[in-house]
Amino acid sequence: MPESLDELMDLLELEEIESTLFRAKQPRTHLQRAFGGQVLAQALTAAGLTVPEGRYPHSLHGYFLLEGRIDTPIVYDVDAVRDGGSFSTRRVSARQHGHVIFYMSASFHKDEEGWQHADPMPDDVPAPQECPSMPEVLSRITGAPASNWTREWGALDVRYVGNSGPGGGLNDPRHPARARLWIKVDGALPDDRFLHDCVLAYSSDLTLLGASLVPHGEVLGSPRVRAASIDHAMWFHRSFRADDWLLYDQVSPSASSGLGLVTARLFQHGVLVADVAQEGLIRQARPRS
């Protein structure tokens, strides 16, 4: 995965093969499959390139169908379903070797006046500078060097607030599977609202399933866990900057039958800017014989 913001920006620069058909690059990575957030962000980028100016994503719903290969470019085919007076709807199919690996529907909307309300940001959340970095936390838990994280995820700055597990620092009896973190890109982005939306889509998939593992004492990346995103939904409520700190408040209401469901809210400067939901595979890995 991109170890710098410049590499992440390069991933979001799509080649237009023909009208509504785009090709995307792959990053240098040690991962065995394409990162779901990368595919999600590239699909959203492709959809946005076909939408009238002044319309921004307000919702997306995606399904991960097959593992994406890391040695082959991904082609994104956009279906311009409808352009109405205020909304534009797009369907995107991501393909490799003739197979659809990801499918997404996205809706875009132009800004308009309307009623306003929002849930408040959680109280008593320590500032990002007071929280350990994700490489520090994972190194402490897994024993692996922190450089393993920064080599793959250096484009993002992630600070871990805590979780509701034993010793996790979040006392929340009503939500036994809760995790909070601060997240932003490690660098400055241009003043392009749509780019910030796509970068948030990329970032949103990084830690989400981890919340469903909190009550079970496991983390993503553990050899005892097989994890994969299955579906992913986002709702963009207000504009924000992906290069400024966002509080990612994640709750897993249920895990069963090898699946974990996580819902999450993203706040910036105390204001709710987006909601996310994901269900994914959290299968216990079988020991090798």
Side-chain angles (χ1 to χ4, degrees), residues 183-185 189 195-196 199-200 240-244 246 268:
I183 190 167
K184 70 179 185 70
V185 295
L189 293 172
L195 175 63
H196 288 258
V199 170
L200 184 63
F240 57 88
R241 292 196 66 91
D243 55 3
D244 195 0
L246 292 140
Q268 189 164 82

Side-chain angles (χ1 to χ4, degrees), residues 267-278:
F267 297 87
Q268 189 164 82
H269 303 303
V271 177
L272 180 66
V273 298
D275 274 84
V276 186
Q278 184 181 92

Side-chain angles (χ1 to χ4, degrees), residues 139-153:
S139 179
R140 188 169 63 243
I141 293 173
T142 65
S147 58
N148 286 2
W149 169 277
T150 54
R151 184 176 60 239
E152 293 289 351
W153 312 106

Side-chain angles (χ1 to χ4, degrees), residues 182-221:
W182 292 100
I183 190 167
K184 70 179 185 70
V185 295
D186 189 17
L189 293 172
D191 295 333
D192 180 340
R193 177 174 165 183
F194 179 59
L195 175 63
H196 288 258
D197 290 338
C198 294
V199 170
L200 184 63
Y202 173 89
S203 307
S204 68
D205 186 46
L206 182 59
T207 61
L208 204 52
L209 270 183
S212 67
L213 296 171
V214 165
H216 313 291
E218 292 290 357
V219 295
L220 293 177

Side-chain angles (χ1 to χ4, degrees), residues 7-272:
E7 290 184 53
L8 175 54
M9 294 301 94
D10 194 45
L11 284 181
L12 298 180
E13 285 285 338
L14 306 187
E15 174 193 357
E16 186 173 7
I17 302 172
E18 58 181 76
S19 177
T20 72
L21 193 64
F22 304 88
R23 181 187 291 117
K25 304 181 185 76
Q26 292 282 22
R28 296 172 298 171
T29 180
H30 293 278
L31 300 181
Q32 300 302 308
R33 61 176 184 251
F35 170 51
Q38 170 199 326
V39 180
L40 185 74
Q42 290 175 335
L44 183 60
T45 300
L49 291 172
T50 71
V51 169
E53 187 176 355
R55 299 186 181 193
Y56 299 97
H58 72 89
S59 68
L60 64 82
H61 301 263
Y63 280 90
F64 298 92
L65 306 176
L66 294 171
E67 290 186 359
R69 295 175 60 94
I70 58 174
D71 58 353
T72 307
I74 302 174
V75 174
Y76 295 89
D77 188 358
V78 181
D79 180 10
V81 178
R82 181 177 183 271
D83 287 314
S86 301
F87 291 88
S88 293
T89 305
R90 297 293 185 266
R91 283 195 296 256
V92 185
S93 301
R95 292 188 174 88
Q96 278 185 320
H97 298 293
H99 299 288
V100 176
I101 65 168
F102 175 77
Y103 192 78
M104 184 185 77
S105 296
S107 183
F108 296 74
H109 179 226
K110 68 178 183 180
D111 293 338
E112 60 180 88
E113 295 296 323
W115 288 299
Q116 294 274 347
H117 75 268
D119 283 351
M121 179 173 152
D123 296 326
D124 303 322
V125 179
Q129 297 77 10
E130 301 171 15
C131 302
S133 69
M134 188 63 79
E136 295 172 28
V137 173
L138 292 179
S139 179
R140 188 169 63 243
I141 293 173
T142 65
S147 58
N148 286 2
W149 169 277
T150 54
R151 184 176 60 239
E152 293 289 351
W153 312 106
L156 301 177
D157 190 350
V158 184
R159 309 294 176 90
Y160 202 71
V161 176
N163 63 55
S164 56
L170 295 182
N171 183 21
D172 192 351
R174 293 181 59 84
H175 299 102
R178 172 166 238 139
R180 285 182 184 149
L181 52 91
W182 292 100
I183 190 167
K184 70 179 185 70
V185 295
D186 189 17
L189 293 172
D191 295 333
D192 180 340
R193 177 174 165 183
F194 179 59
L195 175 63
H196 288 258
D197 290 338
C198 294
V199 170
L200 184 63
Y202 173 89
S203 307
S204 68
D205 186 46
L206 182 59
T207 61
L208 204 52
L209 270 183
S212 67
L213 296 171
V214 165
H216 313 291
E218 292 290 357
V219 295
L220 293 177
S222 165
R224 296 179 296 274
V225 178
R226 289 184 58 199
S229 305
I230 295 177
D231 63 348
H232 194 104
M234 296 185 71
W235 295 265
F236 301 86
H237 308 309
R238 296 166 180 85
S239 61
F240 57 88
R241 292 196 66 91
D243 55 3
D244 195 0
W245 290 111
L246 292 140
L247 178 67
Y248 206 0
D249 183 29
Q250 308 168 347
V251 173
S252 176
S254 177
S256 63
S257 192
L259 298 173
L261 174 66
V262 184
T263 63
R265 302 175 300 170
L266 285 143
F267 297 87
Q268 189 164 82
H269 303 303
V271 177
L272 180 66

